[in-house]
Amino acid sequence: MTFSPDPRLRNALAPRSIAVIGATEDPNKVGGRPLHYLKRFGFSGAVYPINPRRKIIQGMQAYASLAELPETPDVAIVAVGQDAVPDVIEQCATRAIACVIVMSSGFGETGSAGVQRQTALVQHARRLGVRLVGPNAQGVANFQTGAVMNFSTMFMEIEPEDGPVAIISQSGAASVMPYAMLRERGVGVRYLIASGNDADASVCELALAAAVDPAIRVILLYIESLADPAMLAETARLAISRGAAVIALKAGRSVQGAKAAASHTGAMVNDDIVVDAFLERHGIWRAADVHGLINAVELYLALPPRLADSLVVMSHSGAVGVLCADAAETLNLPLTELAPAVVCSLADIMPSFATAQNPVDLTASLMTQSGMYAATLNTLATDPQADMFLIGVPVAGPGYDVQGMATDTATFAANTGKPAVVSAPQASVRQVFRSAGVPVYAHETDAINALHQWSRHGILMRQASARDQLEAAAASVLALPNRTSHFLSEDESLAVLAKADIPTVPYVLCRNADEALTAWRALGQDVVMKACSAHIPHKSEHGLVFIGLDSEQQIVDAWKQCTQRAAALQVPFDGVIVARRVSGRREFALGVRQDPAFGTVVMIGDGGKYVEALRDFVVLLHPFSQDDVIAKLNTLRIAPILAGVRGEAPIDLDTVAHTAVALARLAASHPRDITSIDLNPLIVGDTGSAGWAVDAVIERCKEQA
């Protein structure tokens, strides 16, 4: 499913005329600051202050009401008391104003009574065909056109400049913090949107409205509640299709953070693990904090992100080289092993006491041999494995040709198409490199983090584009058993899995002791016996699982105990499952659930009874491929064991991946029938061997049960 941005919101981002309802003379009040900004930043369209008590406001002709305006504005700013807002929205609808920025507070952010007022306001606006940004919105700013419909004081402190970045945030403070940090680095911002309570137009929908601007190359998001992930997915798809990047800071990762976000927005916070999977699925980089949100922006603007694996570090300080190598290793960012021919060429350029290896140490000779800098860079560029470059400039002063180094670095990056960043603690040195268009950082750790994010984000973006080609539901729809119970029995669950092309353990459902004996003989006399009932999803808790049965008498005794214990529970009893006892190298647990916001979610982890305690699992969102599953499994803590240790063969991850994809397709094909699937364990052996789903429970949707 694809979405197009609402033209009413697009007009709000680039209006030709603006009404300010509740306009005031004082530029330090909410109703006065947008008027001040519209004049200060050169908005060329018509501005209509609305205030029945004044003729002139901040030098502009004022109007008593919207009805007096000579034209219909594209957007209206509402800065009146909360009780007056519904009536103002109706006046806007009467005047055919299609989008309103509601700066007024006292709605969903204030508690249950405010939530009720907010719900009623949104319903009222939708009946009238008016889109709302807010309420409790700090506002919208377009620094290309000067349409700064925002009351933040930040733009009085830090002068705006147009640029290829859009910032969309649910929080006013979280919108201007990245703005200030980017402006201090000399990066321009085109759109800054603080959407407030997201009662109607969400931060995701507003991001889509900004993403259609072809000049936008980086979209920065601050999200507290992710109410419409499909809209965010479309934003990412559109951005990635033209090489732009989406970076999100999703608040509420911790328990306390989630509570704070919920109290701030009055909205439910989604399960954070699923949010991680969703962002990754759609090629969106998740930042850990505001610094991480903006840290790599200059690098993104210098070069669209792509896969890059090998790093070269060059400095005129051996210590800086070592520190960079250490930082890179912590992020699993390998340093390039330079080709022998390159090492030989470097040795001809550098002094004999310099280091012609990676990290490359030019030593203080750089001060007297300025040509060595460009010659070294150009030689390193010939190494086919070197695809990222970090240049440490720990000190520079008289004797160092900083301008020449900056020019050479910019030329090198332009000619090779490879990312090159600089770390320099001196602000004056950073300014020279920045003026040359080179991404520059005060600390080598920030520089390494930027390169890591840039390269890994490139992988996510490429994978997201590939997943968009996968069919959303390739499985045929299977007829589920007509049950009135909330769960299918194990027999019914395994039968459904088998029809969905999932390998299952050989078993027989037995109605009496004689059938159990026959099954025991047929299955090889090494079996597991389990009670079968849709009303007993967890049999081991009730002593209804029997192993180690090696005689006819033991089979009969197990049958009797099963029937007696099941009868004591006073639930319907289908019989006893006699299943072949299988063994393998590893047990896995797989779980599926339907998320109302994100769709079919699949969990895969180390199996057994400790899966919840150890929490060594991965999460994927349907659709995904077997390669996606294997890549995810390789991130588990047990990954080295899965690959085989001390001469062991690798575990058969292909079977795990096949099962995960088939489970996801099954659940996605029955979104109204299947609530969840619990498959634990899936037993697998060495690569190329068989695997078996040994136990499974399918939970049905309550309305279908």
Side-chain angles (χ1 to χ4, degrees):
M1 179 183 296
T2 59
F3 300 90
S4 297
D6 190 323
R8 294 171 290 183
L9 299 179
R10 277 297 304 159
N11 286 342
L13 266 61
R16 294 163 298 179
S17 55
I18 303 166
V20 182
I21 305 167
T24 65
E25 182 69 24
D26 188 348
N28 291 321
K29 291 185 177 180
V30 171
R33 189 161 293 139
L35 288 176
H36 173 75
Y37 282 157
L38 291 168
K39 290 177 60 178
R40 175 174 173 173
F41 298 129
F43 177 65
S44 60
V47 180
Y48 301 110
I50 307 296
N51 188 321
R53 293 184 294 275
R54 300 184 69 93
K55 299 279 188 192
I56 302 293
I57 299 177
Q58 295 189 34
M60 305 178 198
Q61 179 184 350
Y63 297 83
S65 69
L66 291 171
E68 295 184 7
L69 299 185
E71 65 173 325
T72 297
D74 287 333
V75 65
I77 299 170
V78 175
V80 299
Q82 65 185 45
D83 294 336
V85 173
D87 183 57
V88 169
I89 299 302
E90 188 151 357
Q91 294 173 33
C92 290
T94 301
R95 200 64 175 83
I97 300 174
C99 186
V100 176
I101 300 169
V102 183
M103 295 180 174
S104 311
S105 57
F107 291 90
E109 77 281 3
T110 62
S112 58
V115 170
Q116 292 177 6
R117 283 193 297 272
Q118 180 169 293
T119 301
L121 179 68
V122 172
Q123 292 172 347
H124 181 57
R126 287 178 177 171
R127 283 194 299 268
L128 297 170
V130 177
R131 296 304 308 270
L132 303 181
V133 178
N136 192 38
Q138 186 173 277
V140 175
N142 180 331
F143 297 116
Q144 179 192 34
T145 66
V148 183
M149 303 166 287
N150 190 297
F151 64 81
S152 173
T153 59
M154 185 64 75
F155 316 130
M156 293 182 172
E157 302 296 320
I158 300 178
E159 198 74 11
E161 180 180 311
D162 184 27
V165 177
I167 300 172
I168 303 96
S169 168
Q170 286 179 258
S171 159
S175 71
V176 293
M177 286 191 294
Y179 163 85
M181 296 164 76
L182 288 174
R183 292 298 300 120
E184 287 179 356
R185 295 183 178 205
V187 177
V189 174
R190 174 161 296 181
Y191 301 113
L192 187 148
I193 304 169
S195 62
N197 293 357
D198 271 22
D200 178 31
S202 70
V203 69
C204 301
E205 190 175 6
L206 291 163
L208 180 59
V212 298
D213 185 338
I216 297 301
R217 295 172 56 196
V218 177
I219 299 171
L220 305 179
L221 304 175
Y222 173 80
I223 302 170
E224 289 177 347
S225 59
L226 190 47
D228 54 354
M231 197 71 72
L232 180 54
E234 180 61 18
T235 299
R237 189 202 62 77
L238 176 62
I240 291 171
S241 70
R242 54 182 179 80
V246 181
I247 307 167
L249 173 54
K250 171 65 176 68
R253 187 183 288 274
S254 66
V255 173
Q256 292 303 317
K259 289 180 180 178
S263 63
H264 187 190
T265 65
M268 290 292 292
V269 177
N270 294 295
D271 178 27
D272 196 65
I273 296 173
V274 181
V275 170
D276 266 341
F278 170 82
L279 296 176
E280 181 179 313
R281 159 68 182 82
H282 294 287
I284 301 169
W285 184 267
R286 185 170 188 177
D289 50 30
V290 175
H291 179 72
L293 190 66
I294 63 95
N295 187 53
V297 168
E298 292 163 282
L299 184 51
Y300 284 89
L301 297 179
L303 201 64
R306 65 165 188 263
L307 169 64
D309 281 326
S310 298
L311 173 68
V312 173
V313 175
M314 185 177 89
S315 180
H316 56 281
S317 163
V320 169
V322 172
L323 291 172
C324 290
D326 289 346
E329 184 173 329
T330 63
L331 294 172
N332 196 27
L333 199 64
L335 266 64
T336 306
E337 184 174 343
L338 297 176
V342 173
V343 174
C344 289
S345 297
L346 289 176
D348 292 338
I349 298 168
M350 300 164 63
S352 59
F353 52 83
T355 304
Q357 293 288 346
N358 191 13
V360 179
D361 181 9
L362 300 176
T363 75
S365 299
L366 181 63
M367 187 162 49
T368 56
Q369 302 179 39
S370 59
M372 182 171 60
Y373 184 90
T376 302
L377 268 182
N378 292 332
T379 299
L380 290 170
T382 64
D383 193 312
Q385 300 302 315
D387 47 20
M388 288 183 289
F389 293 81
L390 170 57
I391 300 152
V393 186
V395 61
Y400 287 95
D401 182 11
V402 176
Q403 182 61 62
M405 293 162 63
T407 301
D408 290 340
T409 306
T411 301
F412 165 81
N415 290 342
T416 63
K418 297 179 179 182
V421 303
V422 169
S423 68
Q426 294 167 267
S428 59
V429 173
R430 292 199 301 275
Q431 186 54 49
V432 175
F433 278 95
R434 183 170 288 130
S435 297
V438 177
V440 61
Y441 299 87
H443 311 287
E444 61 273 1
T445 302
D446 282 348
I448 289 285
N449 282 332
L451 287 167
H452 172 263
Q453 176 180 329
W454 178 89
S455 61
R456 296 314 182 253
H457 197 176
I459 297 173
L460 292 185
M461 291 167 65
R462 184 181 64 181
Q463 291 174 338
S465 295
R467 291 191 193 102
D468 286 339
Q469 307 305 314
L470 295 173
E471 292 186 30
S476 60
V477 177
L478 303 175
L480 298 184
N482 186 17
R483 274 276 191 179
T484 58
S485 59
H486 190 37
F487 295 92
L488 297 186
S489 70
E490 182 179 345
D491 168 48
E492 293 166 332
S493 297
L494 288 174
V496 170
L497 297 191
K499 290 178 182 177
D501 195 30
I502 294 169
T504 56
V505 66
Y507 75 94
V508 178
L509 176 63
C510 304
R511 310 288 181 177
N512 53 55
D514 288 339
E515 290 182 0
L517 285 168
T518 301
W520 172 65
R521 298 185 187 103
L523 292 170
Q525 299 188 11
D526 187 5
V527 298
V528 178
M529 287 183 64
K530 299 177 278 186
C532 184
S533 171
H535 298 269
I536 313 175
H538 303 293
K539 296 171 286 294
S540 59
E541 296 177 4
H542 302 285
L544 295 172
V545 179
F546 301 85
I547 59 175
L549 310 174
D550 57 10
S551 70
E552 292 186 359
Q553 187 58 50
Q554 288 182 340
I555 294 293
V556 173
D557 290 344
W559 166 266
K560 290 179 180 178
Q561 291 183 61
C562 255
T563 55
Q564 291 169 358
R565 292 173 184 175
L569 294 173
Q570 297 182 336
V571 296
F573 177 58
D574 297 341
V576 169
I577 285 179
V578 179
R580 179 179 298 159
R581 191 176 182 185
V582 295
S583 60
R585 286 273 309 284
R586 200 82 193 178
E587 293 186 0
F588 289 86
L590 291 87
V592 181
R593 69 177 173 88
Q594 307 286 15
D595 188 284
F598 298 104
T600 302
V601 181
V602 178
M603 181 279 293
I604 314 163
D606 200 14
K609 61 183 180 180
Y610 300 121
V611 60
E612 293 182 3
L614 297 177
R615 298 184 67 80
D616 192 18
F617 61 84
V618 294
V619 173
L620 298 99
L621 298 183
H622 176 76
F624 53 83
S625 68
Q626 291 189 199
D627 288 342
D628 290 331
V629 177
I630 292 174
K632 275 290 193 180
L633 292 174
N634 286 330
T635 68
L636 292 171
R637 293 196 298 273
I638 61 168
I641 298 173
L642 302 180
V645 294
R646 294 183 177 273
E648 293 178 340
I651 299 295
D652 188 1
L653 297 185
D654 288 337
T655 294
V656 182
H658 170 84
T659 301
V661 171
L663 269 181
R665 287 176 175 169
L666 170 63
S669 299
H670 297 80
R672 298 179 183 274
D673 297 314
I674 295 176
T675 296
S676 69
I677 304 173
D678 183 14
L679 196 171
N680 185 14
L682 173 74
I683 297 178
V684 297
D686 296 345
T687 296
S689 64
W692 303 271
V694 173
D695 197 353
V697 176
I698 295 178
E699 180 185 8
R700 305 188 67 197
C701 299
K702 290 183 179 179
E703 59 269 23
Q704 302 297 326

